[in-house]
Amino acid sequence: MIIQICIGSSCHIKGSAEMVQLFQKAVAAYHLEDTVTLAGSFCSGRCNRTGVTIRVDDALYTGVTPEGFRDFFDKHVLSKL
């Protein structure tokens, strides 16, 4: 699984650095280092007023926030592995 976290200027302002840390911690906590590849990406053109844009394999999600991270990770990462 490849997870791309937008680090473009708009998402950076909305907390992409914190999202990167949350993903890194979750991947390590679940020992997914051999299964999940984390990557940064620049603007995908789907900016949202809130949150960060995340791509999980071919699916694109907008508006992901640190507060919603756990639900997002469970639904779009763990449930698909």
Side-chain angles (χ1 to χ4, degrees):
M1 174 179 283
I2 298 172
I3 300 172
Q4 296 179 23
I5 304 157
C6 179
I7 57 171
S9 57
S10 179
C11 285
H12 175 74
I13 291 169
K14 295 174 188 135
S16 64
E18 183 178 358
M19 293 300 291
V20 168
Q21 291 176 348
L22 289 170
F23 272 102
Q24 289 172 331
K25 288 177 183 177
V27 166
Y30 285 96
H31 308 288
L32 300 174
E33 295 89 342
D34 294 334
T35 307
V36 173
T37 299
L38 294 177
S41 67
F42 289 103
C43 188
S44 59
R46 299 287 303 269
C47 298
N48 193 312
R49 291 184 185 266
T50 60
V52 176
T53 300
I54 309 286
R55 181 180 297 276
V56 179
D57 290 330
D58 293 328
L60 191 65
Y61 304 95
T62 60
V64 183
T65 63
E67 297 78 23
F69 172 78
R70 177 55 49 200
D71 289 337
F72 179 87
F73 192 80
D74 291 348
K75 182 177 180 181
H76 300 290
V77 178
L78 292 180
S79 71
K80 307 224 173 170
L81 294 176

